[in-house]
Amino acid sequence: MDSGEKRLNELGYKQELRREMTLFKTFAISFSTMTLFTGITPLYGSSLLYAGPASLVWGWVVVSFFTWFTTGSLYFWAAHLASPKWGPFASWCCAWLETIGLIAGMGTQAYAGSQTLQSIILLCTGTNKDGGYFAPKWLFLCMYIGLTIIWAVLNTFALEVIAFIDIISMWWQVAGGLVIIIMLPLVALTTQSASYVFTHFEMSPEATGISSKPYAVILSFLVSQYSLYGYDSAAHLTEETKGADKTGPIAILSSIGIISIFGWALILALCFSIQDFSYLYDKSNETAGAFVPAQILYDAFHGRYHNSTGAIILLIVIWGSFFFGGLSVTTSAARVVYALSRDKGIPFSSIWRQLHPKHKVPSNAVWLCAAICIILGLPILKVNVVFTAITSICTIGWVGGYAVPIFARMVMAEQKFNAGPFYLGKASRPICLIAFLWICYTCSVFLLPTFYPISWDTFNYAPVALGVGLGLIMLWWLLDARKWFTGPVRNIDNENGKV
């Protein structure tokens, strides 16, 4: 028996999903969920606008450092780390936070992928100055929905198909990332000085409405805080991974390390290649001021070769990263919904926990996640800050879910903790404290307004959406769920080995 399956049985669960994921495949999915481009490129422009390149560059270093402390999530961990009295409530909170975060994460990938495709279409048909086609909101929404449906369709096939695609994704991002990191500064006619990139602080109060330097710096860190999470995807696939008790942690830590290095290098490449800071945000520029990285790429390649072919090719590389990333997030979201429904924690759980009779994947959970993701994107037709809101919901839900088991581990009695192959020993509690405080800070800043003055076009409605959603979930707990929800439900009787 595989060591991962043995541990699963010891914890009271029978093996239901196919256990065929290797370390490399698990790492590929974890890496693809974090992704190199999907966090940096959509928020790069706004974060740069708040406080300039230096704050953006060093913000990545600070956030990377604290990210190493914060690996957590899985509501199964929350239930077993909390006391028997609080275990059900801890697992309830963790499961729902992560469910919200992952489904919103699908939305962020779909939105950013559509935004990149919008720029590709514009440059392929000319430019904003030369009559190129800039996709209107209705077409943007169609692209958003199309990507979501494609991910759901692919996730209904055999798991090995997704794993194979995620391996392609990993090499796509590594090779594509290296090409952009190396080529972009070399192609650009001029590059910024090291002092500009590493020390220049520049606010834009006329564009953001923010005149406070500390506030601007805090908001400039958002690109890093949004980008550096998702590494727990390897943990969601432990039931399908060979030797998961060791493979999962290795995949998680490897993903954090590689993305930290590659992400910083990409930010540096973009910052060094800026030609004209103010022109990046001009709505009359070649990319309509809609996607700052696209303008940086255009300026570099058009400036040297007098055409936009190179920029289009690299934008396709970036779009591919969004496509692969969304596929991986969909896989993770469906696994969380499946796990929660298996423990009867979702309305109509009997439907969402059903597996595809042939492919043995939670296909109903996949389509539930896709449907909710599409609903989240409908405000695209009327609201201009949809991405800000979805990003905030995604980060608070996903990262907030990490806090529950971390806090439970921090306060539990040491003698009750059954250590696994990866154990921090005496350092575990201080690390848990740092991680918990950092998560609280991260969730708080994503609730802040990002532009002033506050209006319907600039209002970050994430606090309202989260308040309503979490309020209903907590009300359900108080009125009903606390009477029957026990957290992870064993389906094996360990004493006699019966299912």
Side-chain angles (χ1 to χ4, degrees), residues 43-53 56 202 271 274 277 280-281:
L43 287 178
Y44 174 85
S46 60
S47 294
L48 180 68
L49 186 64
Y50 290 127
L56 183 62
E202 180 178 354
C271 290
I274 295 173
F277 180 89
L280 295 175
Y281 302 93

Side-chain angles (χ1 to χ4, degrees), residues 216-231:
V217 170
I218 287 172
L219 293 181
S220 71
F221 280 26
L222 293 182
V223 62
S224 307
Q225 291 168 294
Y226 166 63
S227 302
L228 289 165
Y229 68 88
Y231 38 81

Side-chain angles (χ1 to χ4, degrees), residues 106 110 141-157 323 326-327 330 366-367 369-375:
M106 293 170 59
L141 178 60
C142 289
M143 292 188 288
Y144 175 99
I145 294 173
L147 281 172
T148 305
I149 292 175
I150 290 172
W151 294 332
V153 170
L154 289 174
N155 267 280
T156 59
F157 294 124
F323 179 84
L327 183 64
T330 303
V366 167
W367 286 99
C369 294
I372 298 174
C373 176
I374 290 172
I375 293 172

Side-chain angles (χ1 to χ4, degrees), residues 74-84 86-88 90-91 94 404-405 408 486-488:
L74 291 193
Y75 88 117
F76 179 86
W77 302 351
H80 284 265
L81 289 171
S83 64
W86 293 104
S91 60
C94 185
V404 181
T486 59

Side-chain angles (χ1 to χ4, degrees), residues 418-465:
N418 184 18
F422 283 76
Y423 181 47
L424 296 171
K426 294 181 179 179
S428 61
R429 290 186 189 278
I431 289 176
C432 283
L433 177 60
I434 294 172
F436 182 74
L437 293 176
W438 176 254
I439 291 171
C440 291
Y441 164 76
T442 298
C443 292
S444 298
V445 297
F446 273 95
L447 295 174
L448 298 173
T450 54
F451 286 94
Y452 288 88
I454 298 175
S455 65
W456 286 113
D457 288 337
T458 61
F459 176 61
N460 178 9
Y461 61 83
V464 176

